[in-house]
Amino acid sequence: MKESLLDIICCPLDKHDLELSVDEREDDEEIVSGTLTCTDCGEAYPIEDGIPNLLPPDMREA
């Protein structure tokens, strides 16, 4: 995932901004793993293998 994606994505639950927490980067540009957290409701969305999982919590696999 590229950090510039934050300009166009939002929390799927309440449409507020997401805050990025990076665990691993590749080539200083691509985010491989981390978390996107809603600035309003606090729901966290994982980034795994460079793909943000923006499914609502009740629709994610355990």
Side-chain angles (χ1 to χ4, degrees):
M1 175 187 134
K2 297 205 183 300
E3 199 163 338
S4 60
L5 187 62
L6 286 173
D7 294 338
I8 58 173
I9 61 174
C10 63
C11 177
L13 298 177
D14 59 21
K15 309 301 184 226
H16 283 90
D17 290 336
L18 295 169
E19 186 174 277
L20 174 65
S21 173
V22 178
D23 293 334
E24 183 183 351
R25 281 186 189 264
E26 186 175 277
D27 301 328
D28 291 330
E29 207 172 291
E30 190 75 20
I31 298 162
V32 177
S33 67
T35 306
L36 296 167
T37 305
C38 178
T39 57
D40 189 62
C41 72
E43 188 60 51
Y45 302 93
I47 302 168
E48 298 169 345
D49 297 322
I51 301 169
N53 183 345
L54 295 175
L55 286 174
D58 57 338
M59 296 183 76
R60 291 185 218 153
E61 288 185 15

